[in-house]
Amino acid sequence: DIPRWRLVAEGLEADLAAQAKLDFTPVKGAEITTRGRLSILDGRTRYVASECAAVSAAEFMLGENDIRDISGRLCGDQGGLFEMANGRWRLGGQLQQTQLAADFLQMVLGDGSGALSVTGDKAGLKVDLSVDRSRIYDLSQVARFEPMQGRGAIRLASDIWTGAFDVGLPDQ
């Protein structure tokens, strides 16, 4: 839905409300629902959301370590939610109310918050994910632990995933 748009000397500006569904490697069943302003000016495309976007994915395929049932809210930062110029693009912002299931660990992460930056250019894809906080729940048939708290960072660069995650007892 594009309730308002206008051509300007340098390009185009449009207010929009959108819902997109797509599959792309390594993500299946991705969905985003958003509302905001799209501008295409002087060779730069920029999208600034007027409210946090609802995001979800059925599955993030990592071989034996797939993650499923991903959902949350992505709130744009100073650079907007999405920007593209000169052969480079960036999607990023603050994550809120994030949850996911990691069956290979028999765990669910919920109430997560942090920051996400995904960039792409001719050199490839880069991902930086920081988790400020999350609750971790045991899904094992035999209870292994009470709910815990976690935080950390995960990065993709040069086709290699790295990261660290600290897990501990919830704050009392």
Side-chain angles (χ1 to χ4, degrees), residues 138-166:
D138 184 13
L139 292 181
S140 176
Q141 290 181 347
V142 177
R144 300 173 294 172
F145 57 86
E146 294 295 319
M148 296 188 296
Q149 181 173 285
R151 66 178 180 194
I154 300 168
R155 167 175 266 183
L156 170 66
S158 301
D159 294 326
I160 298 172
W161 288 96
T162 58
F165 211 75
D166 296 323

Side-chain angles (χ1 to χ4, degrees), residues 49 51-53 73-77 80-81 92-96:
E51 57 193 43
C52 296
R73 299 179 56 75
L74 181 60
C75 308
D77 55 20
L81 199 60
Q94 295 297 308
L95 290 166
Q96 300 176 353

Side-chain angles (χ1 to χ4, degrees), residues 1-150:
D1 183 29
I2 303 174
R4 187 180 82 76
W5 66 275
R6 67 185 181 125
L7 291 174
V8 295
E10 303 82 23
L12 168 82
E13 292 180 335
D15 293 333
L16 59 89
Q19 182 175 16
K21 297 180 181 185
L22 61 150
D23 290 322
F24 57 94
T25 304
V27 179
K28 287 175 58 176
E31 294 188 28
I32 184 167
T33 302
T34 185
R35 179 180 308 276
R37 171 160 288 182
L38 175 70
S39 60
I40 305 171
L41 304 170
D42 293 326
R44 179 177 302 272
T45 301
R46 185 171 188 223
Y47 178 71
V48 177
S50 58
E51 57 193 43
C52 296
V55 294
S56 65
E59 189 172 11
F60 187 74
M61 298 176 292
L62 295 168
E64 296 175 0
N65 302 324
D66 292 351
I67 297 170
R68 65 174 178 78
D69 300 333
I70 304 162
S71 66
R73 299 179 56 75
L74 181 60
C75 308
D77 55 20
Q78 259 76 2
L81 199 60
F82 177 81
E83 190 165 14
M84 181 173 58
N86 303 317
R88 177 176 163 78
W89 60 269
R90 176 188 178 276
L91 170 74
Q94 295 297 308
L95 290 166
Q96 300 176 353
Q97 302 168 349
T98 306
Q99 61 185 30
L100 59 86
D103 292 338
F104 69 100
L105 296 172
Q106 296 182 323
M107 294 181 195
V108 169
L109 280 71
D111 193 29
S113 66
L116 174 67
S117 175
V118 182
T119 59
D121 59 21
K122 63 182 178 182
L125 182 69
K126 293 181 183 174
V127 177
D128 284 296
L129 171 65
S130 65
V131 179
D132 299 331
R133 70 176 168 91
S134 67
R135 295 279 289 180
I136 302 167
Y137 301 93
D138 184 13
L139 292 181
S140 176
Q141 290 181 347
V142 177
R144 300 173 294 172
F145 57 86
E146 294 295 319
M148 296 188 296
Q149 181 173 285

